[in-house]
């Protein structure tokens, strides 16, 4: 059956065209019921049970559930429970969910794909007896509700037609009161989710997962101002009265945040609970700028625990900001509306209500940027010892906290598998196993290079090539060689795994790799971007095995000047897979004279010249020290922490990877000036360097930031012989002033903006790690098209699609970094179980009520509170006096400045089993009886200025004489006390 809709449409030139839309209807679409004798169900489709179980006390008959759109959009957590089975999802509802929420649609598709769940998609839009056209003046929502009721009515008639004695019924689930009333008038079974779940006596846990805006409505006290409507926000932005931007919460003070808007170079400050007005980290908000007379300074108070603030301060303007502000006043605004919520599911712990039999509790997220969440659960006795997942439902004006619901439990607090799962979920890391479809696309083992491949590639198997990587590396994606040519010049080759030979555009494997975007490295595990058979085997350039590669070959003179560059697909056979240490020993051993040793020495010599040239051009050398855990082979717990040593071979490999990336960037941009995938590092606004300049000026040094070259020179000159770690601290602070390096498409911005500030390079990309970075896969495809080794495809040359891909790559890359740092922090906690150590630390910042320190050996950062939030003396602690002008804290005759070395005692506070914390104590023999405990903050400002989780990186420094004396005096004091 064919239905037509004809209408006239006016063209841009004023003409009129006739448009005919045809909608095909048929009567042979199956109902999905396994026992139905009237329908023929496809063999590969999920069917509904012939006799569904009767678990609801509301209905005494077996029944199927039929969902409306809002049930799926807002109750997806409840629907994901295995207890919910035999559900009919109409194509009308499926299409609406797809358009309104791609994220929820993806979760729904996963449920539909599970045959055990018995979720059946009924194509009601193309069934002759269930299709309804839209009435004149009818809204899309009303028409969809009418379609749902029509489908439910048809199912009832169809079931009776197939079997007149059948007691099977269909129950519509809808939280729309009007839709329920209309369904009841049509003699259909209908229920709200809350009522239906409440009737499932065998599954009381499902009640916790139900989203309900009717919860918590008994509270009438208004706390926050109301948000503007969407129309008011649009009108205000149009008139210039309002601005919009993304909100970022402060990790140092939960009553402070900032919004990045186009009108201001620096972020706009938001201070105070009322002015934050229910904005959550990541939300896109509308703000109203305050008059310049009301602008404020960033707070100098550290408030990371909401329990430090009295409840009666909720309605105040937060007076502690006025007393604790430092520096110049900055543009300040208030949040007046929410344009887009960026809420997600949050991991954390339950702060149980102390009242017996209470069902309302507070949830404490792991991410300190997120406020506590009120939830209702009857499982608190069980969940109190578990890591759990909670989703925010809404945040009403009368509630100090947002309202949410319990989603699921992850496992016992403190168990490593549970904590790793938290890290992956909190950082949105796709970590499921690869699908059967992807596995079917992988090459079968054993594998060897096919004979025809040799004809397409340059055979380099006779050249001495070797790889140099960290110990234990199995995803070896780069190898090098160097040799003298007959003309006296030097040939250098960088050989990269040819991943694109195995990953073809548009395949399931390609789509999954693009989604994951990067391999994620945790301390004790690796989340691969591509399956292990590729990452650790067929694409890994292992020693003495033939592998397919993409080679970048230069001809250089002895001063490392490039004379000629060429690219080609190749076949290589690496002579050795070396570690950095092994390669360094070969270079340093004069008795080693084989071809590998000669190649490494040539590479090392040229790398030094290349590095010096980069530095002379203004490239920055910033502090990025790291630590490595020695893991027990049986328990997999950390047993030792060592600083990663940087050898000449580390720098050698880095220089040639950088050179290859620059050479490839120049090539693909010249051939594809509108759609080349490149990487840029924007020059930071001068305001970003303010903390660095102030910190250096207090120590008598001037940091010049007018150019990268002057910044590098300033850092080189800022040296204090008596404090060897001082320069490293300055470079750590400099890193935090940087913007985030990002991927972009060449045709989307001006060529002058391609510049990579950190590397002082006019153009740059990523080519050298296609096993673990999807950006490199795209670059390989572009380069292959440049040299005629492969052809292009539409998506590769689509600027818009490629730009969207870049957004995902940038996001995933950032989250992978944070996940790696969180994993190091987790293992640092495990390392300090039943252990106390006194370690040398340095002061990073001096705040009004705290001293923020860094411990080089472990790369930890912590906050030591020395006063209350308003500067008052702590109980049982010495008195500190804060000087805002000099940014110092004084206790007696001792004055604490930024960058001062101090001794810090580290231990794990296990008194609260639910939430163990790493404790920092300031140990000073100069202040008798002084020992202040503080909670670990483990924070770091990310390159784009937003505060993020800090990696446990470290540089192991030898203790100077004063530190040794401090420890000696401390031990002496301990003996006297005994």
């Amino acid at each position: 059956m064919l239905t037509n809709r004809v209408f006239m449409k006016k063209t841009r030139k004023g003409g009129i065209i006739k448009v005919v839309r045809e909608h095909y209807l048929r009567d042979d679409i199956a109902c999905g019921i396994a026992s139905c004798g009237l329908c023929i169900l496809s063999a590969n489709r999920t069917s509904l049970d012939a006799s569904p179980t009767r678990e609801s006390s509301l209905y005494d008959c077996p029944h199927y559930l039929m969902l409306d759109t809002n049930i799926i959009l807002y109750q997806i957590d409840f629907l994901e429970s295995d207890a919910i089975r035999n559900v009919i999802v109409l194509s009308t509802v499926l299409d609406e969910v797809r358009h309104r929420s791609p994220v929820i649609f993806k979760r729904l598709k996963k449920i539909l794909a599970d045959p055990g769940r018995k979720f059946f998609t009924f194509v009601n839009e193309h069934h002759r007896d269930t299709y309804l056209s839209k009435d004149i003046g009818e809204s899309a929502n009303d028409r969809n509700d009418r379609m749902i009721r029509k489908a439910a009515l048809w199912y009832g008639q169809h079931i009776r037609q197939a079997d007149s004695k059948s007691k099977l019924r269909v129950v519509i689930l809808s939280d729309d009161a009007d839709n329920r009333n209309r369904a009841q008038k049509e003699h259909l079974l209908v229920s709200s989710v809350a009522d239906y779940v409440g009737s499932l006596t065998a599954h009381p846990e499902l009640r916790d997962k139900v989203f309900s805006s009717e919860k918590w409505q008994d509270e009438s006290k208004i706390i926050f101002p109301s948000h503007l409507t969407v129309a008011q926000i649009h009108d205000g932005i149009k008139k210039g009265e309002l601005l919009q931007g993304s909100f970022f919460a402060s990790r140092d003070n939960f009553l402070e945040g900032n919004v990045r808007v186009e009108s201001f170079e620096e972020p706009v400050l938001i201070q105070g609970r009322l002015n934050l007005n229910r904005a959550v980290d990541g939300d896109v908000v509308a703000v109203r700028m305050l008059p310049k007379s009301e602008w404020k300074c960033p707070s100098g108070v550290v408030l990371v625990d909401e329990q430090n603030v009295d409840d009666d301060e909720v309605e105040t303007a937060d007076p502690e900001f006025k007393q604790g502000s430092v520096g110049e006043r900055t543009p300040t605004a208030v949040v007046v509306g929410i344009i887009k919520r960026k809420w997600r599911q949050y991991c954390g712990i339950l702060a149980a209500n102390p009242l017996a039999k209470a069902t309302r509790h507070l949830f404490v997220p792991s991410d300190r940027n997120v406020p506590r969440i009120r939830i209702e659960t009857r499982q608190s006795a069980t969940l109190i010892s578990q890591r759990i997942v909670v989703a925010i439902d809404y945040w009403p004006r009368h509630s100090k906290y947002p309202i949410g619901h319990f989603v699921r439990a992850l496992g016992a607090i403190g168990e490593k598998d549970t904590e790793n799962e938290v890290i992956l979920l909190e950082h949105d890391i796709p970590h499921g196993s690869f699908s059967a479809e992807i596995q079917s696309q992988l090459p079968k083992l054993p594998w060897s290079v096919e004979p025809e491949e040799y004809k397409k590639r340059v055979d380099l198997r006779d050249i001495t090539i070797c790889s140099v990587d960290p110990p234990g590396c199995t995803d070896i994606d780069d190898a090098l060689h160097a040799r003298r040519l007959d003309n006296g010049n030097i040939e250098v080759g960088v050989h990269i795994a040819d991943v694109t030979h195995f990953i073809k555009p548009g395949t399931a494997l390609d789509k999954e790799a693009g989604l994951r975007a990067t391999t994620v490295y945790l301390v004790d595990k690796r989340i691969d971007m591509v399956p292990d058979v590729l990452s650790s085997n067929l694409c890994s350039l292992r020693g003495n095995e033939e592998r397919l590669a993409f080679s970048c070959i230069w001809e250089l003179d002895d001063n490392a000047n490039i004379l000629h560059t060429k690219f080609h697909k190749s076949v290589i056979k690496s002579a050795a897979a070396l570690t950095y240490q092994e390669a360094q020993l070969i270079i340093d051993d004069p008795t080693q004279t084989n071809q590998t040793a000669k190649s490494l020495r040539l590479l090392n010599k040229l790398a030094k010249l290349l590095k010096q040239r980069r530095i002379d051009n203004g490239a920055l050398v910033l502090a990025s020290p790291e630590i490595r855990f020695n893991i027990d082979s049986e328990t997999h717990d950390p047993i030792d922490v060592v600083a990663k040593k940087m050898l000449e071979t580390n720098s050698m490999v880095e220089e040639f990877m950088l050179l290859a990336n620059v050479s490839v960037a120049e090539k693909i941009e010249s051939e594809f000036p509108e759609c080349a995938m490149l990487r840029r590092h924007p020059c930071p606004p001068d305001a970003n360097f303010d903390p660095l300049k102030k910190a250096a000026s207090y120590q008598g040094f001037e940091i010049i930031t007018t150019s990268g070259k002057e910044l590098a020179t300033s850092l080189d000159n800022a040296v204090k012989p008596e404090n060897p770690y001082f320069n490293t601290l300055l470079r750590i602070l400099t890193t935090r002033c940087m913007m985030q390096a990002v991927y972009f498409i060449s045709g989307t911005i001006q060529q002058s903006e391609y510049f990579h500030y950190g590397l002082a390079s006019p153009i740059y990309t990523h080519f050298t790690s296609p096993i673990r970075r999807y950006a490199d896969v795209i670059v390989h495809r572009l380069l292959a098209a440049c040299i005629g080794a492969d052809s292009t495809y539409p998506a590769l040359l689509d600027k818009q699609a490629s730009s969207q891909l870049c957004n995902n790559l940038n996001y995933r890359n950032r989250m992978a970094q944070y996940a790696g740092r969180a994993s190091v922090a987790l293992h640092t906690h495990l390392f300090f179980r039943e252990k106390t150590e006194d370690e040398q630390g340095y002061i990073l910042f001096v705040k009004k009520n705290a001293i923020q320190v860094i411990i080089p050996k472990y790369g930890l950062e912590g906050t030591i509170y020395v006063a209350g939030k308003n500067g008052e003396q702590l109980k049982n602690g010495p008195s500190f006096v804060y000087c805002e002008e000099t940014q110092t804290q004084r206790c007696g005759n001792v004055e604490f400045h930024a960058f001062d070395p101090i001794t810090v005692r580290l231990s794990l506070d296990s008194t609260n089993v639910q939430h163990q914390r790493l404790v920092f104590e300031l140990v000073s023999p100069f202040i008798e009886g002084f020992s202040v405990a503080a909670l670990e903050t483990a924070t770091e400002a990310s390159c784009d200025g937003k505060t993020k989780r800090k990696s446990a990186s470290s540089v192991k420094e030898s203790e100077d004489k004063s530190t040794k004396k401090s420890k000696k005096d401390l031990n002496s004091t301990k003996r006297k006390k005994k």
Side-chain angles (χ1 to χ4, degrees):
M1 179 180 176
L2 175 67
T3 64
N4 290 335
R5 183 186 173 195
V6 182
F7 59 95
M8 302 300 177
K9 184 178 180 181
K10 190 175 182 179
T11 66
R12 290 182 179 180
K13 296 182 178 181
I16 302 295
I17 59 174
K18 181 180 179 181
V19 178
V20 179
R21 287 186 178 174
E22 297 179 341
H23 190 84
Y24 291 87
L25 301 175
R26 49 197 299 167
D27 56 9
D28 59 348
I29 296 176
C31 67
I33 301 174
S35 61
C36 181
L38 302 178
C39 300
I40 301 175
L41 188 66
S42 174
N44 61 351
R45 288 199 66 187
T46 300
S47 62
L48 301 165
D49 286 335
S51 299
T53 56
R54 309 177 186 180
E55 295 187 339
S56 171
S57 60
L58 291 176
Y59 310 103
D60 60 357
C61 58
H63 57 271
Y64 306 115
L65 296 177
M66 184 176 289
L67 313 175
D68 75 3
T69 304
N70 285 332
I71 294 298
I72 296 175
L73 291 175
Y74 296 107
Q75 307 287 2
I76 189 68
D77 296 321
F78 141 74
L79 294 175
E80 286 177 331
S81 170
D82 289 338
I84 305 302
R85 302 170 72 250
N86 288 296
V87 177
I88 300 169
V89 180
L90 303 178
S91 60
T92 298
V93 172
L94 195 64
D95 290 341
E96 190 174 2
V97 171
R98 180 192 290 111
H99 290 126
R100 291 179 59 180
S101 177
V103 175
I104 299 297
F105 178 72
K106 184 178 180 180
R107 293 170 68 181
L108 176 62
K109 290 289 285 185
K110 187 176 181 180
I111 300 174
L112 293 170
D114 184 355
R117 297 295 309 280
K118 303 296 182 179
F119 273 61
F120 178 78
T121 303
F122 178 62
V123 190
N124 66 312
E125 287 282 355
H126 293 278
H127 196 291
R128 184 176 60 184
D129 297 329
T130 59
Y131 174 77
L132 295 172
S133 59
K134 184 179 176 181
D135 291 340
I136 297 174
E138 185 180 35
S139 69
N141 183 68
D142 288 344
R143 184 259 181 184
N144 289 350
D145 286 345
R146 195 157 55 91
M147 286 280 286
I148 294 169
R149 297 195 299 271
K150 177 66 174 177
L153 186 64
W154 177 85
Y155 259 95
Q157 297 169 345
H158 184 75
I159 290 170
R160 288 192 294 273
Q161 185 181 356
D163 182 1
S164 59
K165 297 180 180 180
S166 175
K167 295 183 178 181
L168 275 172
R169 299 292 299 274
V170 171
V171 176
I172 299 174
L173 283 189
S174 175
D175 284 337
D176 185 331
D178 181 64
N179 191 31
R180 291 201 304 268
N181 291 335
R182 291 175 183 270
Q184 288 171 351
K185 290 179 181 179
E186 297 175 17
H187 307 291
L188 297 170
L189 297 184
V190 64
S191 173
S192 68
V193 169
D195 290 343
Y196 186 81
V197 171
S199 72
L200 300 177
T201 54
H203 301 283
E205 74 282 355
L206 290 183
R207 301 175 190 177
D208 295 345
K209 298 187 177 185
V210 174
F211 170 100
S212 176
S213 59
E214 297 174 2
K215 291 181 182 179
W216 316 89
Q217 291 299 324
D218 55 331
E219 302 179 37
S220 57
K221 186 177 180 181
I222 300 299
I223 297 175
F224 297 99
S226 60
H227 288 146
L228 298 181
T229 65
V230 174
Q232 289 172 326
I233 291 174
H234 286 175
D235 188 54
I237 292 174
K238 187 176 180 180
K239 293 179 179 179
E241 298 171 353
L242 303 178
L243 300 173
Q244 63 177 322
S246 295
F247 171 76
F248 298 105
S250 167
R251 287 184 67 88
D252 287 338
N253 195 316
F254 71 91
L255 292 175
E256 187 171 283
N258 63 72
V259 176
R260 297 186 179 277
V261 298
E262 293 184 1
S263 305
F264 293 87
E265 182 179 295
E266 55 187 313
V268 172
L269 181 67
I270 313 289
Q271 279 190 344
R273 192 189 298 271
L274 301 186
N275 293 339
L276 293 172
N277 198 6
R278 295 169 284 163
V280 176
D281 187 64
D283 288 347
V284 180
V285 300
V287 298
R288 177 179 285 115
M289 295 301 301
L290 293 175
K292 198 167 185 177
S293 59
E294 297 182 30
W295 287 4
K296 298 180 181 180
C297 309
S299 172
V301 177
V302 178
L303 288 177
V304 296
D305 190 347
E306 191 155 351
Q307 289 180 320
N308 293 339
V309 180
D310 300 330
D311 287 343
D312 58 8
E313 292 180 2
V314 172
E315 301 170 51
T316 70
D318 306 309
E320 65 269 15
F321 287 115
K322 298 178 182 179
Q323 300 175 28
S325 58
V326 294
E328 298 179 358
R329 292 179 179 270
T330 61
T332 308
V334 298
V335 175
V336 296
I338 306 297
I339 297 174
K340 185 177 182 180
R341 289 291 192 186
K342 290 294 184 73
W343 293 345
R344 56 180 174 83
Q345 292 185 348
Y346 302 99
C347 302
I349 58 174
L350 192 70
N353 194 321
L355 298 177
K357 298 183 179 180
T359 59
R360 295 182 175 183
H361 309 273
L362 278 179
F363 166 79
V364 183
S366 300
D367 187 348
R368 276 210 324 272
N369 284 355
V370 179
R372 298 182 179 197
I373 303 169
R374 295 173 113 173
I375 67 169
E376 189 168 354
T377 177
R378 297 154 188 83
Q379 308 174 65
S380 59
T382 303
L383 299 181
I384 193 69
S385 60
Q386 305 262 324
R387 292 282 184 192
I388 64 174
V389 179
V390 163
I392 297 178
D393 295 335
Y394 66 113
W395 194 343
R397 295 176 60 195
H398 63 257
S399 177
K400 179 179 174 182
Y401 307 106
I403 312 300
H405 64 269
F406 166 75
V407 176
R408 62 191 173 103
L410 297 174
I413 293 172
E415 288 188 359
K416 191 157 61 172
D417 288 344
T418 300
E419 301 300 337
N420 273 336
E421 181 72 7
V422 170
I423 289 172
L424 295 173
L425 290 174
E426 275 296 291
H427 297 92
D428 193 19
I429 306 296
H431 58 285
S433 57
F434 291 95
S435 68
E437 182 182 5
I438 290 174
Q439 297 291 346
S440 67
Q441 296 175 359
L442 298 175
K444 305 300 181 184
L445 297 178
W447 174 90
S448 61
V449 180
E450 296 177 359
E452 57 266 24
E453 277 300 315
Y454 292 109
K455 301 175 183 178
K456 301 176 185 176
R457 297 170 179 266
V458 177
D459 191 343
L460 301 179
R461 288 175 293 172
D462 61 336
I463 296 180
T464 303
I465 296 171
C466 67
S467 61
V468 184
D469 291 281
C473 179
T474 60
D475 51 345
I476 304 172
D477 45 20
D478 59 82
L480 305 108
H481 88 270
R483 60 178 181 174
R484 283 283 178 184
L485 299 175
D486 294 339
N487 61 8
N489 293 328
I490 305 170
E491 179 187 86
V492 174
V494 166
H495 312 278
I496 308 301
D498 188 7
V499 177
T500 55
H501 176 79
F502 301 96
I503 303 180
K504 301 303 181 183
T507 61
L509 175 57
D510 181 51
K511 292 176 181 177
E512 181 67 18
L515 172 68
R516 298 191 177 207
T518 183
T519 294
V520 181
Y521 294 90
L522 305 183
V523 169
D524 58 344
K525 66 191 303 184
R526 187 181 78 201
I527 312 299
D528 285 322
M529 183 184 79
V530 296
D532 186 69
V533 69
L534 295 181
S535 63
S536 296
N537 191 339
L538 303 185
C539 292
S540 184
L541 306 182
R542 304 194 295 196
N544 298 308
E545 294 190 29
E546 290 187 8
R547 288 292 181 260
L548 304 179
F550 208 150
S551 300
C552 174
I553 311 291
W554 302 279
E555 184 177 338
L556 307 171
D557 62 20
D558 281 280
N559 293 320
N561 296 308
I562 299 176
L563 305 176
H564 181 67
T565 306
K566 60 182 177 181
F567 309 95
H568 51 67
K569 295 288 187 85
S570 59
V571 180
I572 68 170
K573 188 174 183 179
S574 175
L578 306 173
T579 65
Y580 291 118
Q581 183 72 40
E582 290 169 343
Q584 191 67 53
L585 290 174
I586 292 174
I587 291 173
D588 295 340
D589 184 357
T591 64
Q592 296 271 10
T593 58
N594 57 35
Q595 190 57 44
T596 299
K598 293 178 181 178
S599 177
L600 289 172
R601 291 189 184 109
L602 273 176
L603 290 167
N604 196 39
K605 169 194 168 185
L606 294 169
K608 291 178 181 179
L609 296 172
L610 291 170
K611 183 173 184 177
Q612 188 58 52
R613 187 175 300 156
R614 284 196 309 107
I615 293 173
D616 292 342
N617 289 335
L620 298 176
V621 179
L622 302 179
S624 56
E626 297 178 350
I627 64 170
R628 180 169 56 85
F629 289 95
N630 290 331
I631 304 295
D632 187 283
S633 59
E634 295 183 0
T635 65
H636 301 290
D637 288 334
I639 55 178
D640 193 16
V641 181
V642 294
K644 288 186 179 179
K645 296 180 180 179
M646 297 300 291
L647 305 172
E648 285 186 354
T649 45
N650 290 78
S651 179
M652 176 189 76
V653 174
E654 179 186 14
E655 288 305 316
F656 285 107
M657 296 305 111
L658 293 176
L659 187 62
N661 288 334
V662 171
S663 296
V664 171
E666 292 171 345
K667 180 66 174 178
I668 63 174
E669 197 277 335
S670 65
E671 295 286 338
F672 298 102
E674 290 296 312
C675 55
M677 182 172 286
L678 304 174
R679 186 167 176 82
R680 70 190 184 100
H681 185 207
C683 176
D686 196 57
N688 280 27
F689 291 109
D690 286 346
L692 173 67
K693 292 178 179 178
K694 291 176 182 177
S697 66
Y698 289 136
Q699 302 295 320
F701 295 97
E702 181 184 8
I703 301 296
I704 302 173
T705 59
T706 52
S707 70
K709 176 65 175 175
E710 290 179 317
L711 173 60
T713 302
S714 299
L715 291 173
D716 290 340
N717 294 334
V719 176
K720 298 179 73 172
E722 70 277 12
N723 185 350
Y725 198 63
F726 170 72
N727 189 261
T728 301
L729 287 171
L730 277 185
R731 294 181 189 274
I732 289 174
L733 293 184
T734 305
T735 302
R736 302 178 181 192
C737 299
M738 296 294 109
M739 302 289 285
Q740 184 79 41
V742 293
Y743 298 107
F744 70 101
I745 300 303
S746 55
T748 59
I749 62 175
Q750 297 296 321
Q751 194 166 10
S752 58
E753 298 180 52
Y754 293 3
F755 189 73
H756 195 293
Y757 181 80
L759 298 175
S761 176
I763 192 168
Y764 190 69
T765 193
H766 272 163
F767 162 76
T768 54
S769 296
I771 292 178
R772 60 185 179 90
R773 291 189 306 229
Y774 190 74
D776 303 54
V777 173
I778 297 297
V779 170
H780 275 229
R781 290 172 178 167
L782 288 166
L783 185 61
C786 289
I787 63 174
D790 205 347
S791 58
T792 61
Y793 54 96
L796 189 67
L797 306 181
D798 187 332
K799 283 199 299 185
Q800 184 176 358
S802 296
S803 294
Q804 291 176 350
L805 175 61
C806 285
N807 292 337
N808 181 61
L809 298 180
N810 293 328
Y811 170 73
R812 296 292 182 195
N813 184 59
R814 188 166 62 250
M815 289 298 103
Q817 291 176 0
Y818 298 153
R821 296 169 185 174
S823 178
V824 173
L826 167 63
H827 282 75
T828 304
H829 275 72
L830 296 175
F831 178 73
F832 275 100
R833 282 180 175 173
E834 301 179 359
K835 189 178 299 185
T836 299
E837 291 191 10
D838 290 349
E839 293 296 339
Q840 178 173 326
Y842 293 87
I843 296 175
L844 272 180
F845 301 103
V846 177
K847 301 288 187 178
K848 178 187 174 184
N849 65 330
I851 296 174
Q852 294 177 320
V853 300
I854 183 171
I855 313 299
K857 180 177 179 180
Y858 300 110
L860 290 171
E861 286 187 40
T863 299
I864 300 176
Y865 291 97
V866 297
K869 62 181 180 295
N870 292 317
E872 67 273 14
Q873 182 178 343
L874 293 175
K875 294 180 181 179
N876 304 321
S879 177
F880 277 77
V881 178
Y882 174 67
C883 177
E884 184 172 338
E885 183 179 352
T886 60
Q887 296 281 288
T888 59
Q889 288 278 3
R890 177 178 289 276
C891 182
N893 295 324
V894 180
E895 194 167 71
F896 295 88
H897 308 80
F899 306 122
D900 283 351
I902 56 174
T903 302
V904 178
R905 181 168 300 155
L906 301 172
S907 62
L908 195 66
D909 177 15
S910 301
T911 56
N912 184 350
V913 179
Q914 186 191 21
H915 198 187
Q916 296 184 359
R917 313 184 192 205
L918 193 61
V919 175
F920 285 58
E921 294 180 297
L922 179 59
V923 180
S924 174
F926 307 109
I927 308 173
E928 187 175 354
F930 178 64
S931 179
V932 178
L935 305 181
E936 176 204 26
T937 60
T939 61
E940 176 197 36
S942 69
C943 295
D944 62 358
K946 179 184 175 184
T947 308
K948 282 291 181 184
R949 198 176 304 272
K950 169 72 172 112
S951 70
S953 56
S954 81
V955 172
K956 191 173 183 180
E957 292 284 337
S958 60
E959 296 177 333
D960 59 14
K961 293 182 180 180
S962 63
T963 306
K964 290 181 179 179
K965 182 178 184 303
S966 297
K967 288 192 173 183
K968 182 178 179 181
D969 291 344
L970 175 62
N971 293 331
S972 176
T973 303
K974 288 180 179 178
R975 286 194 293 270
K976 287 179 181 179
K977 286 183 178 180
K978 288 183 179 180

